[in-house]
Amino acid sequence: MRINSAARIALACGSPFNWSGALSRVLIVDDESGIRFALKRWFERQQWTVVEARDGHEAIEALDGSVALSAPFDLVVCDLHLPGVSGEDIVLRLRTDHPALVAKVILTTGDAIDDAMPGSVLATHPHVLQKPFDLVTLRAFVERLQTN
């Protein structure tokens, strides 16, 4: 099912649209290279600077490094299920270390969102994309975050 998701993303890359410069740096966190590649390609076509992380440990390093370099991320697209440090762990850590960034995290998951355990990040986070998703939906999420 995730392979199909990557294929759908790659096919739906489409042409760039105007971001009005409000957002420019995105961190893509997914352990599946096909999904990372497709998302990277799509964001780059939208004129974004893309940083990739294969797992939660790489994501934490990238997040901490971006703050140290005074080049914070404007958006994070993060898979919920990652080896080692999960997407939920990343969101919980951001709540403590970088609280302003939590509102700019889009979680992606193949889990049924309606079946999420009450109180979990999946149940409480406002920006969750159910896999497989299309780029029209991703675009709507990003545009909504841009205006907030």
Side-chain angles (χ1 to χ4, degrees):
M1 192 144 104
R2 288 185 170 194
I3 293 171
N4 290 340
S5 180
R8 285 173 123 178
I9 292 169
L11 291 173
C13 280
S15 60
F17 57 97
N18 184 1
W19 291 103
S20 70
L23 300 174
S24 60
R25 275 178 52 85
V26 60
L27 174 62
I28 297 170
V29 188
D30 203 300
D31 56 327
E32 293 195 37
S33 61
I35 291 175
R36 278 195 325 274
F37 174 79
L39 287 171
K40 178 182 181 198
R41 181 175 168 183
W42 185 78
F43 275 103
E44 285 177 341
R45 285 185 175 184
Q46 313 315 312
Q47 313 301 309
W48 286 64
T49 300
V50 176
V51 176
E52 296 177 72
R54 295 176 294 190
D55 58 40
H57 293 291
E58 285 185 8
I60 298 287
E61 287 177 16
L63 289 162
D64 290 346
S66 73
V67 171
L69 295 172
S70 296
F73 291 102
D74 301 297
L75 180 68
V76 177
V77 179
C78 183
D79 188 19
L80 187 64
H81 298 290
L82 298 164
V85 177
S86 70
E88 183 164 359
D89 295 333
I90 291 168
V91 170
L92 294 173
R93 179 162 176 178
L94 286 174
R95 284 181 183 167
T96 303
D97 296 349
H98 312 290
L101 189 55
V102 173
K104 300 293 185 179
V105 174
I106 298 173
L107 287 174
T108 63
T109 184
D111 293 349
I113 297 169
D114 295 336
D115 296 337
M117 190 176 337
S120 68
V121 168
L122 182 57
T124 60
H125 193 72
H127 314 295
V128 180
L129 275 174
Q130 177 109 28
K131 291 181 181 179
F133 57 86
D134 59 45
L135 291 179
V136 172
T137 305
L138 176 62
R139 175 184 257 177
F141 268 71
V142 174
E143 286 177 334
R144 187 170 46 232
L145 290 174
Q146 179 188 22
T147 59
N148 290 339

